[in-house]
Amino acid sequence: MNRKPITLAAMAIASMAMITLSSCNGNTQSNNGNDADSTEVVNVNVEAPAVSDDEIKDFITTMYNDYLYGEEDFLREYCTDKMMKKLADEYEYDGEGLAIWLFRTTAQDGTPDNDGVKSVYREDDNNDWWRYEFIDEGYKGINRIKILIVDGKIQIDDIERVYDEPSELIGG
């Protein structure tokens, strides 16, 4: 079997990612050693789209600023099973629910002036962990969020609170 790699590239229509088509392999296969009966088979494999750091930053910012983490449909689409389990396990009330407050500070009341994400950055170059610094009800917060790319799609795999100004002010 003789393989000759051919690379194809295409731009995506999708707003969150560029789609790259690659690995179009032309295979020539002979039947019983008779070249006259050769059949050419072409396989097209679609690679998962690449996701840039800027797209991840935009995703985190939009997730927080537009309160998307408060929507169960969003969480089910953009969280791994591990993260969904964490949100369910951390839910501290009767019945079923999701601990969406893990995306915020512990502020219950405050002044929502200037609320929103102030910065997003990757912790290390080869790391899936990102930090977002934000204002929540007028209080500062910093969270670590683990972002994986699964089949070209951004997935939240974990979240940790790093700094929570409301709990610092009350000594907690």
Side-chain angles (χ1 to χ4, degrees):
M1 189 179 296
N2 184 14
R3 292 182 165 221
K4 296 180 183 179
I6 300 170
T7 303
L8 300 176
M11 291 185 138
I13 299 171
S15 64
M16 291 296 292
M18 278 186 0
I19 295 177
T20 304
L21 297 175
S22 69
S23 279
C24 180
N25 296 321
N27 298 327
T28 305
Q29 180 178 6
S30 81
N31 185 8
N32 296 330
N34 185 348
D35 288 337
D37 293 330
S38 293
T39 304
E40 186 172 331
V41 177
V42 177
N43 296 319
V44 177
N45 298 321
V46 178
E47 260 186 27
V51 177
S52 72
D53 282 4
D54 285 341
E55 289 171 312
I56 294 172
K57 289 177 185 179
D58 289 345
F59 173 85
I60 293 169
T61 301
T62 301
M63 174 210 61
Y64 185 87
N65 289 350
D66 293 350
Y67 190 67
L68 297 176
Y69 60 87
E71 299 176 15
E72 189 171 339
D73 288 343
F74 172 85
L75 295 173
R76 292 203 183 286
E77 183 174 349
Y78 290 101
C79 289
T80 62
D81 291 342
K82 173 187 163 188
M83 183 63 186
M84 290 302 294
K85 181 175 179 355
K86 179 176 185 165
L87 292 172
D89 289 349
E90 294 286 328
Y91 188 75
E92 55 195 34
Y93 300 102
D94 291 337
E96 293 183 18
L98 299 172
I100 62 172
W101 52 83
L102 296 178
F103 291 93
R104 302 181 53 199
T105 67
T106 56
Q108 297 296 312
D109 298 308
T111 308
D113 295 336
N114 299 316
D115 279 7
V117 171
K118 300 304 175 192
S119 68
V120 178
Y121 54 93
R122 186 188 295 267
E123 287 188 341
D124 294 313
D125 287 339
N126 296 318
N127 193 333
D128 296 327
W129 284 96
W130 292 74
R131 284 186 185 233
Y132 64 99
E133 299 179 8
F134 58 100
I135 304 295
D136 178 31
E137 296 294 325
Y139 296 100
K140 294 178 185 175
I142 302 171
N143 283 348
R144 298 176 77 218
I145 187 167
K146 187 173 186 180
I147 299 291
L148 302 179
I149 307 303
V150 179
D151 295 330
K153 184 175 171 185
I154 294 173
Q155 295 284 281
I156 301 166
D157 192 50
D158 202 355
I159 193 159
E160 296 174 357
R161 191 170 284 139
V162 174
Y163 177 74
D164 180 45
E165 186 177 34
S167 66
E168 297 286 325
L169 293 174
I170 60 170

